[in-house]
Amino acid sequence: MQKITVVGAGNVGATAAQRVAEKELAREVVMVDIAEGIPQGKALDQWESAPVEGFDSRVIGTNGYDEAAGSGIFIVTAGIARKPGMSRDDLLKTNAKIVRDVSENIARVAPDSIIIMVSNPLDVMCWVAKEASGFPRERVIGMAGVLDTARYRSFLALELDVSVEDIQAMVLGGHGDTMVPLISYTTVSGIPVTQLIDRDRLDAIVDRTRKGGAEIVGYLKTGSAYYAPSAGAVQMAEAIVKDKKRILPCAAWLEGEYGMDGLFLGVPCKLGRNGLEKILEVELTDGERKDLEASAEAVREPMRSLQ
Ligand code: APR
């Protein structure tokens, strides 16, 4: 791919840009941020790592969108973190305004691009981006499930003392406390996880997964996770750039799938050259279906408050 742009050169954005460059997913990696000097400085620093790391993706930083023109993919991480005294609703409205502005600019300079949304609250920001860009659902996809699933897989690998690569799993639903880890689809090299870990331990791991973001914030105090979130976004970008047709849990705009309509929610998606190429509808247990519906309601509520 000729060009990939990361909007927001903060912790998640800058780490994503570095990962994209190191994997040489694009000839040019552009970082856009409103903070003067930050994207320029970080991009130059990253580019100066190229001779050591051995990549030829050219990294540049800018405060505008001209340099992003024609990008095939935009990874959007722009936003602000919740400040003391700020309500969840204030944060929602502030980030919605930022994401709206970013998405309009994306549609202007790269009308055929694919947006990978990372800014929170994730599922709602995907919706804002879809509305503001006017892009079809194939080209607005949210990164949450890959991260939530990675956390779940990493905890399972620790519990079993096996390779993370041998844990197959899928976490669906909204990105938050209501996410839905699918125990029924969790396997270790094909072996159902329920044969290897007893139910109480599994429930504890599911609970830790649900609170995975908060656990990191609890340590960092002044920021939130960025190594795993950026890895998740870049895995999605790689699936698109290389047309890998990967099946990954992503936030996608539902049009009747899982009996739901008119919202973004984490579901199994096929990602390839065209972005979201298919949503896979898998069988769920009654409990999982109920949990998914509750999770959808937790996404619809902030959507209503933005209308
Ligand atoms: N356009 C471009 N960049 C913007 C804009 C805007 N309108 N508004 C804010 N930014 C930039 C900030 O200047 C900052 O550099 O977004 C960046 C956000 O970076 P951090 O504060 O470091 O936040 P980060 O940890 O990277 O998280 C970014 O991803 O995982 C989510 O919840 C997280 O919504 C948050 C986002």
Side-chain angles (χ1 to χ4, degrees), residues 7-14 32-35 38 42 65 76-81 95 97-99 101-102 118-121 143 147 175 223-226 229:
V7 187
N11 282 337
V12 179
V32 179
D33 198 294
I34 47 164
I38 299 294
K42 289 190 180 182
Y65 285 83
V76 177
T77 74
I80 60 154
N95 278 355
K97 196 160 167 277
I98 292 171
V99 167
D101 171 64
V102 168
V118 184
S119 306
N120 275 314
M143 195 296 299
L147 168 63
H175 186 46
S224 49
Y226 54 100

Side-chain angles (χ1 to χ4, degrees), residues 146 148-171 181-183 185-194 196-197 202 205 209 235 246-249:
V146 175
D148 297 331
T149 303
R151 285 182 173 145
Y152 180 50
R153 290 171 61 201
S154 71
F155 299 150
L156 289 169
L158 274 183
E159 176 75 17
L160 289 167
D161 190 26
V162 301
S163 167
V164 288
E165 292 180 61
D166 291 330
I167 313 273
Q168 298 82 34
M170 189 91 77
V171 178
L182 298 181
I183 291 176
Y185 287 97
T186 305
T187 60
V188 182
S189 286
I191 306 161
V193 73
T194 45
L196 303 173
I197 304 179
L202 264 178
I205 289 168
T209 302
Q235 183 173 63
R246 288 214 59 179
I247 308 297
L248 298 171

